[in-house]
Amino acid sequence: MTEEFHRIRRLPPYVFAEVNKAKAAARVRGEDIIDLGMGNPDTPTPPHIVQKLVETVADPRSHRYSVSRGIPGLRRALAGYYARRFDVKLDPETEVIATLGSKEGLANLSAAITSPGDTILVPNPSYPIHQFGFIIAGASVRSIPATPDEEMLRALDRAVRHSVPKPTALIVNFPSNPTAYVADLDFYRELVALARRHDIWIMSDLAYAEIYFGDRVPPSILQVPGARDIAVEFTSLSKTYSMAGWRMGFAAGNPRLITALTRIKSYLDYGAFTPIQVAAVAALSGPQDCVAEIRTMYRDRRDVLIRGLHAAGWDVPSPEGSMFAWAPLPPAFREMGSVDFSKLLLKEAGVAVAPGLGFGEYGEGFVRIGLVENTQRLRQATRAIKQFMIRHGVTPPPARPETGGAAVPRTEAEAVANADA
Ligand SMILES: Cc1ncc(COP(=O)(O)O)c(C=O)c1O
């Protein structure tokens, strides 16, 4: 009885815990921490969606158990989104399921399709559930590079030829958390061809489908002809409509994978609260100006953050999508590694970021900076980072005029959010 449970033993210590602890302690001391360490949207859900929830909750019929795989209207609304946005036709009966946030769907599908000892291919660094969903289910994970290019395809080819047992599934996520890399359709074409050739399932995580800033609009893997023979794709309302707390996501694509997830979920849950599902229909099928507004908000924040970091002497690539900047440690701090750098930045600049190591060993040497504070706070953060860099002997480039902004107090709810989101 003293030995740790088998599945728990397979979970390494939470890398973010150290930084989270330091963050909590600083807050207890009354310090104002600018928290860019999370992926938790900080703006409210658009009012018409909230209104639909309120309306529906007033009807007692909505208080009963709901439908595990999602009410038919919701599955139809998701199919409508795919038709509009990607020109992909989905059968809402056999090719769509609603999930309790996409994280739940990713975890339960991983469990549904994994036999102990299976080999799964996962980019490194990646969003933790991408590998841990499979690890909890008893699989072994083989890391592949995280960039959607030839290098990843070559590594996949090598992995397929040399892994024993042969890999059964591959997970991809573009725009990516944490790297912010964006894939194009040509890349997906090659990926689908490879997976079909070798009989490998693909799970594509498209949580940031609508958070993009340039001309490269993120495609769906299901746009590739034949993709649904081997692929399923996860989408989410969390970021698109600032609905992270509502827990509403979807899987769409291969009917066999959808059936497997439906079966597992029918044993585990009764579906999201009906008013949430009805409000999710309003989100997907109602006016979409809010999506453009949310996108513009993240783009403005990105511009402020990247400009401010450059002014501080920190050369961080400008992300094309997602709600993160993936920042290589400034040369002066490279030796200390991402966890110690994050702790130092928190202590001396009052800015929290997520250490890259928390997303896998190849995330070392980077930190993830979330666009989860308003532009005034981001300016405040980059000014503090500039002073921090100067104290550590980094000479910033010649200053450019900047407008200032007042600090905005944080709420308790924002402070308790998970760091891996
Ligand atoms: C890449 C990625 N996938 C999935 C999720 C989880 O989203 P959801 O709220 O739909 O569970 C996140 C959350 O941050 C994410 O970054």
Side-chain angles (χ1 to χ4, degrees):
M1 294 290 259
T2 52
E3 220 178 80
E4 188 57 281
F5 298 114
H6 170 71
R7 287 210 163 82
I8 305 301
R9 251 190 295 146
R10 307 199 75 202
L11 300 175
Y14 194 54
V15 175
F16 302 111
E18 268 188 69
V19 181
N20 285 352
K21 220 165 94 189
K23 196 157 61 179
R27 288 224 172 93
V28 168
R29 290 194 299 273
E31 291 170 28
D32 173 29
I33 301 298
I34 303 176
D35 195 351
L36 312 180
M38 322 170 294
N40 199 353
D42 59 312
T43 53
T45 303
H48 71 280
I49 303 173
V50 176
Q51 188 50 42
K52 183 54 81 177
L53 175 95
V54 171
E55 244 172 72
T56 316
V57 86
D59 180 350
R61 282 173 308 174
S62 73
H63 301 172
R64 309 184 66 194
Y65 289 129
S66 195
V67 183
S68 171
R69 67 189 180 124
I71 56 176
L74 180 55
R75 284 180 278 116
R76 279 199 300 274
L78 194 273
Y81 165 71
Y82 264 82
R84 265 192 332 268
R85 168 73 162 79
F86 303 113
D87 199 18
V88 166
K89 304 251 172 310
L90 293 168
D91 178 351
E93 268 309 299
T94 58
E95 295 180 319
V96 176
I97 181 173
T99 59
L100 306 173
S102 58
K103 191 176 190 182
E104 178 269 325
L106 283 158
N108 278 324
L109 183 60
S110 305
I113 66 171
T114 300
S115 309
D118 278 357
T119 304
I120 310 294
L121 305 174
V122 183
N124 190 328
S126 69
Y127 177 56
I129 196 65
H130 292 163
Q131 63 164 324
F132 287 108
F134 287 106
I135 287 176
I136 292 167
S140 302
V141 163
R142 175 165 171 147
S143 293
I144 53 167
T147 39
D149 59 12
E150 274 304 313
E151 194 198 347
M152 189 198 240
L153 292 167
R154 271 197 305 274
L156 280 173
D157 193 57
R158 259 197 322 276
V160 171
R161 280 187 284 114
H162 299 296
S163 305
V164 179
K166 196 172 83 65
T168 51
L170 157 69
I171 192 151
V172 287
N173 163 225
F174 302 108
S176 161
N177 175 10
T179 63
Y181 300 148
V182 178
D184 55 29
L185 201 52
D186 280 341
F187 173 76
Y188 283 144
R189 280 197 191 97
E190 301 221 33
L191 205 65
V192 166
L194 187 143
R196 283 168 59 103
R197 218 166 35 245
H198 296 289
D199 263 337
I200 295 174
W201 296 117
I202 299 180
M203 285 163 60
S204 165
D205 179 349
L206 192 55
Y208 297 98
E210 302 306 330
I211 315 294
Y212 57 87
F213 310 127
D215 299 334
R216 288 216 296 167
V217 177
S220 157
I221 199 167
L222 300 178
Q223 287 172 253
V224 178
R228 80 185 79 182
D229 293 345
I230 43 94
V232 75
E233 187 160 73
F234 291 85
T235 47
S236 168
L237 302 193
S238 293
K239 314 294 157 71
T240 307
Y241 300 96
S242 284
M243 289 174 70
W246 298 54
R247 314 310 301 127
M248 184 49 65
F250 301 90
N254 180 270
R256 197 171 150 209
L257 292 178
I258 297 297
T259 303
L261 182 54
T262 306
R263 184 101 197 270
I264 279 254
K265 279 175 62 59
S266 73
Y267 281 83
L268 296 176
D269 69 63
Y270 289 111
F273 185 38
T274 300
I276 291 180
Q277 297 196 43
V278 174
V281 176
L284 286 167
S285 307
Q288 299 298 302
D289 335 11
C290 55
V291 177
E293 282 161 21
I294 288 171
R295 184 182 303 129
T296 304
M297 173 193 74
Y298 284 121
R299 195 199 56 210
D300 292 348
R301 290 177 177 190
R302 174 204 64 170
D303 291 344
V304 165
L305 176 77
I306 297 299
R307 222 180 300 127
L309 292 175
H310 286 182
W314 191 355
D315 200 7
V316 174
S318 183
E320 266 189 86
S322 84
M323 51 197 283
F324 308 106
W326 184 237
L329 298 190
F333 304 91
R334 231 160 250 171
E335 285 298 306
M336 68 170 47
S338 62
V339 174
D340 283 347
F341 175 74
S342 301
K343 287 200 291 195
L344 190 69
L345 197 66
L346 180 75
K347 182 165 169 242
E348 297 191 5
V351 177
V353 297
L357 187 62
F359 303 96
E361 67 180 281
Y362 296 100
E364 185 49 290
F366 291 80
V367 291
R368 190 194 72 176
I369 309 178
L371 303 171
V372 289
E373 292 264 18
N374 65 34
T375 48
Q376 284 105 312
R377 288 283 276 178
L378 288 172
R379 282 197 186 93
Q380 193 186 336
T382 56
R383 279 198 298 267
I385 290 172
K386 186 173 180 179
Q387 293 313 312
F388 165 87
M389 300 280 266
I390 291 170
R391 278 199 302 281
H392 286 272
V394 177
T395 314
R400 283 197 298 181
E402 239 199 304
T403 50
V408 176
R410 302 185 54 88
T411 65
E412 196 55 34
E414 282 172 295
V416 297
N418 281 331
D420 78 344

